[in-house]
């Protein structure tokens, strides 16, 4: 059974930083591209960042480019998202996901909440 468990969210002031983690199990993590998604209050799901299976290739949404870094540890089956210079508009539930095609991802975790507020 595929399991993705996110952690690391919380309340942070504008300009602050957070590091999200996603622990993966139930599949061969090292051969799967992974992505972070988010859903802001009242809005749809949007992708944030994508990383290939080896970790050598990354893509970022324009909204987070230059402020976020996606990475992975294939020995520990863990995905990360380092977020810096957080803005109020980054407030959302963040999910890690895999087996994605277009806007659809077959697997995603339960999410972790990030709230950016002063």
């Amino acid at each position: 059974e595929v399991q993705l468990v996110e952690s690391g969210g919380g309340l942070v002031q504008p300009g602050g930083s957070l590091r999200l983690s996603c622990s993966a199990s139930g599949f061969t993590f090292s051969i799967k591209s992974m992505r972070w998604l988010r859903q802001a209050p009242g809005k749809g799901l949007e992708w944030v960042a994508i990383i290939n299976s080896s970790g050598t290739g990354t893509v970022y949404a324009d909204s987070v480019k230059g402020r976020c870094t996606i990475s992975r540890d294939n020995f520990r089956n863990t995905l990360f998202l380092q977020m810096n210079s957080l803005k109020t508009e980054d407030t959302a539930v963040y999910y890690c996901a895999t087996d994605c095609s277009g806007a659809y991802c077959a697997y995603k975790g339960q999410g972790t909440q990030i709230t950016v507020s002063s």
Side-chain angles (χ1 to χ4, degrees):
E1 177 188 4
V2 172
Q3 286 197 322
L4 299 167
V5 180
E6 302 93 340
S7 61
L11 174 63
V12 62
Q13 292 187 339
S17 298
L18 280 175
R19 189 192 197 205
L20 305 183
S21 298
C22 171
S23 178
S25 62
F27 65 103
T28 307
F29 181 77
S30 61
I31 66 171
K32 293 287 192 180
S33 64
M34 299 292 297
R35 65 179 67 183
W36 286 98
L37 313 172
R38 69 183 180 185
Q39 186 164 24
K43 296 189 177 181
L45 206 58
E46 66 168 336
W47 73 275
V48 175
I50 304 170
I51 189 168
N52 66 1
S53 59
S54 64
T56 57
T58 57
V59 183
Y60 297 93
D62 287 343
S63 57
V64 303
K65 197 174 295 182
R67 300 188 297 117
C68 291
T69 302
I70 187 172
S71 61
R72 64 193 296 160
D73 183 338
N74 282 349
F75 292 103
R76 294 179 174 82
N77 291 353
T78 306
L79 179 72
F80 303 100
L81 185 68
Q82 176 69 43
M83 303 188 70
N84 301 321
S85 303
L86 283 161
K87 306 176 181 180
T88 55
E89 51 263 44
D90 293 319
T91 294
V93 179
Y94 285 73
Y95 304 89
C96 65
T98 193
D99 279 357
C100 300
S101 178
Y104 172 75
C105 293
Y107 303 102
K108 67 180 178 68
Q110 85 290 345
T112 186
Q113 173 75 46
I114 291 180
T115 301
V116 185
S117 174
S118 55

